[in-house]
Amino acid sequence: MRINPDLLLDLNSGVIPMVTGTLGDKPKVEPMPWQFYPLINNFSQHPITRNLDAVYTKFVSSIDTVKAVGIHKTPLLFTSRYTRVLPSPVPVNLNDARLEPDPKLYKAQFKPVGYLLEGQFRSLYANRAEPGTTHYQPATSPLAKPAKVLVISDGDFVRNEVDPKTGRPFRLGFDRLANTEFANRELVLNAVDYMLDESGLIAVRGKQITLRPWISCG
C-alpha cells in the first residue's frame, strides 16, 4: 500500500466548535462543518463493512495500491462523490470553517481511505543478511502462513475522545458536538473478528436479512 502525501476534504463532514459571536458577556460557540473530518458512508460489499452506519474520520489521506504478488487487496472505505484532494504541505486554518466551501473545487470522487490486504506477505528482512553473517533471508518463506492487514489512512482512527469535564474516554466513534455515536467501534470489532476468526462467525454478524411480505389468503 502507499498512503499518499495529501489530505482529503469532503463536503460530507463532521463539525468543530467555532466562536461565532457573543451572547451577553460570553462567547457564542456553534458547531461548524469542517471538511477535514470526512464522514464515510461509502463501503464495499465485504463482511467487515456490511450493514455499517457512517464512520467518522479526521485528516485522512488517499491510498494507492502497489504491485505485490500473492496479496489480495480489497478497498473498504471511500469518501463521498464531493471530495477535494490537497497535496502536501497543506495549510490548515481553522478560520476556513467560517467560509462557505466552493462546490466546484470538490470534483474528486470516492477516494479510498481504507484497504484490507490478504495473502502471504514478503518479509521486512527479505534479502538482508543476518547480523554478523553473510546468510541472507529469503524473500518468502514456505513456512509463512497467510495473514491479513487492515490499512486506514487516519492515524487516530482507534483513539477515543476524552470528556473534558470528567477526563473519562467516550466510546470509540462518539462525537460530543453532534451527540452522535458513529460506527467506528463496530468497524474495528468487525475487522478484528474477520482477521482472527477462523470459524466464520463474522458472516453471521454481517448477515443480510431479507423481509418478505406475508400474504394471507382466505
Side-chain angles (χ1 to χ4, degrees), residues 124-151:
L124 177 65
Y125 303 99
N127 299 323
R128 296 184 182 182
E130 296 179 3
T133 71
T134 58
H135 179 262
Y136 283 79
Q137 295 290 332
T140 59
S141 171
L143 300 179
K145 295 182 179 180
K148 302 180 181 73
V149 176
L150 177 66
V151 179

Side-chain angles (χ1 to χ4, degrees), residues 1 9 20 36 41 45 54 70 87 104 129 142 176 208:
M1 307 300 305
L9 284 72
T20 58
F36 286 101
N41 55 14
Q45 293 297 321
K104 296 180 180 178
R176 60 188 179 89
Q208 292 181 333

